[in-house]
Amino acid sequence: MALRALARVNLAAIERNVSRLRSGLRPPAGLCAVVKADGYGHGAVPAARAALIGGARSLAVATAEEAATLRAGGIEAPVLVMGAVSDEELPVALAARCELVAWSSRFVDRVAALRSSVGAPAPLRVHVKLDTGMGRLGTRSFDEAVQLAGRIDDAAPALELAGAMTHFASADEDPEFTAVQLARFEPFVVALRERWPGVVAHAANSAATLREPDSHLDLVRCGIAVYGCDPLNEDPLLHGLEPALELSSYVAAVKPAAPGDSAGYGRRWVASGETWIATVPVGYGDGIRRALTNDCDVIIGGRRYPLVGTVSMDNITVEVASPDVVRCGDPVTIIGADGSERVTAEELARRIGTINYEILCGVSARVPRVYHRDGVSA
Ligand SMILES: Cc1ncc(COP(=O)(O)O)c(C=O)c1O
C-alpha cells in the first residue's frame, strides 16, 4: 500500500547536479551548496551530504540554527550562515563552528568579543557583504565595507577575514542589472585583495552560475539548481538538471459523479456530465497549494488527470476516466514523472504565479522524506 504522502528524494540526482554545475564553472571557482530551509524542502543533512559527494566545496544556510542542524547531522564541511544573526543566536553560530557575514561594525565587535570570551582555538571566519543592488542585507557603502574588512582583521586572532560577497537581485531576468552589480562589486574585491590576497570573492546564485560566467569569481552559491530545479522557472532539463524530489500519494477512493454533483469546499467544481472522481488524501497541509484549485494535473498510471474542486487541507479530488482505469490504491504523482508524463515544480509554480522555490519549500514537515540513489534505497 502506498504511503498517504511521500517525498522521494534522489540523492544521486543532487550529486550529478552539483558535478554538472561544477563542470560549467570558470576556474578557479568552486561551488558552495545552499541547503537552507531544510535543503529547499529536500532535507538539509542528506542534501548537504549528497552535494559534498558531488564536489561542493562548502555549504551555506540562512540561520545559525540551520548550521547547528548540519553539525548535529555529522557534517564537518565549512558552513556559511548567510543571513542576519541576532545576539541571542550568536552562541549557537559559534558552537556550530560556522562562518558569518558582517555588514556593520557593531556586529563585528559583538562577534569578536564573544569569540574572545569563549577562547576557541581557531579564528571565526567572517565575510563582508557589500549591497550592490539587492537592497536587503549588506552595506551599500564601499568605504564602510572596506573599513569593516580592516576591523575584522584587527580582531585577529578571534576573527579572520574570509570573504567578500554580494547577492544578485535579478540574475534570472535582468542580465544588464546583474552586470551593473558585478561592476560595483569588483572594485571592492580588488581593494580587499590588495591587502588580503586570500579573500574569497563570491556573488553568483544558481541563475548567475548558469548565465553569467563572469560572475563565478572564486565561489558560486547554488541552491535551486543543486536540487535539479530551474532558477529561470523553465524546464530544468534544458540546463541538464535533474529534479531530485518527487511528491506522491495514492487513490483513496473512486466514486461516480452525476451532472450537478460537486467536489470539495465551496462547490468550486460541478460535474457537467456523468464522470468519476478519485480522492487523493493530500492537501495544502502537505504543501499542495490551495491556489491550485481547479488548476493542475496529477499523474496516475502514466496519464494526466485534472485536479477538480478546492484543494483542502488533507484531500484533493481528481476527475478520472473511469473506475476501470483508475482504481483505489493506485499511486498518484503530484510532482515528478510517471511513464512519459511529467509534472515539475516549475509547472505548478507557473500555474499559480509563484516560483519553484516556494513549491519545494512548501512541501510540509508532515510529508515523510525517503532517500534513494537512482531507485536504490539510501
Ligand atoms: C545570499 C544567497 N546566496 C545564494 C542563494 C542561492 O540562490 P539560488 O537558490 O537561486 O541558487 C540564496 C538563496 O536565496 C541567497 O539568499
Side-chain angles (χ1 to χ4, degrees):
M1 189 66 185
L3 276 185
R4 185 192 68 80
L6 184 64
R8 283 171 47 82
V9 178
N10 186 356
L11 298 173
I14 294 181
E15 291 166 23
R16 285 191 291 267
N17 290 328
V18 169
S19 86
R20 254 180 235 125
L21 289 163
R22 283 178 58 232
S23 67
L25 295 182
R26 182 180 286 174
L31 187 142
C32 167
V34 180
V35 296
K36 59 189 177 145
D38 200 24
Y40 290 45
H42 294 64
V45 171
R49 277 214 192 91
L52 291 167
I53 292 171
R57 186 182 288 178
S58 59
L59 304 165
V61 291
T63 73
E65 208 50 64
E66 289 175 331
T69 300
L70 293 178
R71 294 295 182 231
I75 305 271
E76 285 301 318
V79 176
L80 172 65
V81 174
M82 300 186 294
V85 178
S86 69
D87 290 355
E88 289 73 18
E89 291 160 334
L90 263 183
V92 178
L94 262 61
R97 293 170 279 118
C98 55
E99 303 182 10
L100 293 172
V101 181
W103 50 85
S104 77
S105 51
R106 183 195 171 276
F107 183 75
V108 170
D109 295 348
R110 285 279 316 157
V111 181
L114 198 62
R115 186 62 173 204
S116 305
S117 71
V118 174
L124 189 145
R125 290 164 56 79
V126 183
H127 302 241
V128 178
K129 185 162 192 178
L130 183 69
D131 178 5
T132 56
M134 181 65 173
R136 221 169 50 172
L137 302 176
T139 169
R140 289 189 204 270
S141 159
F142 172 93
D143 292 340
E144 187 183 16
V146 174
Q147 279 161 18
L148 278 175
R151 206 172 182 108
I152 293 165
D153 193 45
D154 290 345
L159 306 186
E160 176 187 340
L161 178 66
M165 71 182 281
T166 193
H167 190 42
F168 295 127
S170 49
D172 53 336
E173 52 191 24
D174 187 349
E176 280 93 50
F177 191 66
T178 305
V180 168
Q181 287 194 258
L182 198 54
R184 289 175 183 159
F185 186 53
E186 271 158 0
F188 175 53
V189 174
V190 169
L192 259 52
R193 287 243 174 87
E194 274 169 13
R195 258 184 87 186
W196 301 282
V199 153
V200 174
H202 50 111
N205 54 5
S206 295
T209 300
L210 293 172
R211 299 181 94 179
E212 311 285 348
D214 285 351
S215 72
H216 292 176
L217 307 174
D218 298 318
L219 193 68
V220 298
R221 304 185 306 266
C222 289
I224 196 77
V226 163
Y227 307 99
C229 291
D230 191 292
L232 315 176
N233 225 29
E234 291 168 356
D235 186 341
L237 299 182
L238 295 174
H239 287 118
L241 297 169
E242 292 177 60
L245 182 141
E246 293 195 335
L247 180 62
S248 62
S249 181
Y250 75 102
V251 175
V254 182
K255 63 180 164 203
D261 284 347
S262 62
Y265 288 117
R267 308 191 69 236
R268 290 199 168 77
W269 176 85
V270 178
S272 54
E274 300 288 341
T275 188
W276 290 85
I277 294 297
T279 300
V280 181
V282 289
Y284 61 79
D286 302 290
I288 319 278
R289 297 280 302 275
R290 192 168 180 274
L292 290 166
T293 291
N294 283 325
D295 189 20
C296 77
D297 295 331
V298 301
I299 313 172
I300 306 172
R303 277 188 56 186
R304 278 181 178 248
Y305 294 97
L307 186 157
V308 294
T310 304
V311 174
S312 6
M313 189 185 290
D314 315 309
N315 290 287
I316 54 173
T317 37
V318 176
E319 185 177 16
V320 296
S322 87
D324 304 324
V325 182
V326 171
R327 294 163 198 268
C328 272
D330 281 357
V332 177
T333 301
I334 296 146
I335 299 173
D338 177 5
S340 57
E341 285 295 350
R342 200 158 54 99
V343 174
T344 59
E346 288 76 9
E347 175 187 333
L348 297 182
R350 270 195 302 276
R351 284 178 182 271
I352 60 173
T354 184
I355 50 175
N356 44 8
Y357 301 66
E358 203 181 13
I359 300 290
L360 293 172
C361 292
V363 177
S364 74
R366 104 172 163 181
V367 178
R369 270 67 170 172
V370 168
Y371 296 96
H372 67 101
R373 300 187 78 255
D374 293 335
V376 179
S377 175

